[in-house]
Amino acid sequence: AMAKVKTYELRTKSKADLLKQLDELKTELAALRVAKETGGAASKLAKTKTFRKSIARVLTVINQTQKQKLRQYYAGKKYIPLDLRAKKTRAIRRALTSEQK
């Protein structure tokens, strides 16, 4: 089995490596779920939570990296996708910009 996944270690990996690790973690989790049904050792069952959290960490790093790359790509462009724009409030978004005042 693998040790607990460290987020700072994940951030240095490539997307392909992350996806590979994600696949391994999911396979391991599936095996643990089978062990649970077949009455596995308690020490094994306790690892389920660790694997779930590890999978979440990997997915979080993948999503954050993806968002960061998109932000870099759209930086300085005329139009930015809605999900990358500043949220603020509807009223503030509709208000005149400093250049228009």
Side-chain angles (χ1 to χ4, degrees), residues 2-3 13 32 44-45 66 68 74 81 89:
M2 308 161 121
K13 293 186 173 183
L32 286 173
K44 219 174 184 188
L45 301 183
Q66 202 169 17
Q68 188 185 359
Y74 284 104
T89 63

Side-chain angles (χ1 to χ4, degrees), residues 69-81:
K69 292 226 169 87
L70 280 170
R71 282 190 194 284
Q72 284 170 354
Y73 175 76
Y74 284 104
K77 296 242 190 326
K78 183 163 167 36
Y79 294 112
I80 297 173

Side-chain angles (χ1 to χ4, degrees), residues 70-96:
L70 280 170
R71 282 190 194 284
Q72 284 170 354
Y73 175 76
Y74 284 104
K77 296 242 190 326
K78 183 163 167 36
Y79 294 112
I80 297 173
L82 297 179
D83 62 330
L84 297 180
R85 293 180 195 175
K87 177 91 167 109
K88 303 199 171 173
T89 63
R90 196 162 184 264
I92 293 175
R93 290 195 306 265
R94 305 272 180 296
L96 290 172

Side-chain angles (χ1 to χ4, degrees), residues 2 23 26 29 31 37 40 44 47 50 55 77 91 100:
M2 308 161 121
D23 211 39
K26 284 184 172 179
L29 183 63
E37 290 305 316
K44 219 174 184 188
K47 285 186 187 145
T50 317
I55 289 170
K77 296 242 190 326
Q100 291 171 326

Side-chain angles (χ1 to χ4, degrees), residues 6-14 18 60-61 64-65:
K6 300 273 193 289
T7 312
Y8 68 90
E9 288 169 359
L10 291 176
R11 292 192 191 285
T12 60
K13 293 186 173 183
S14 69
L18 288 172
T60 300
V61 170
Q64 285 178 345
T65 315

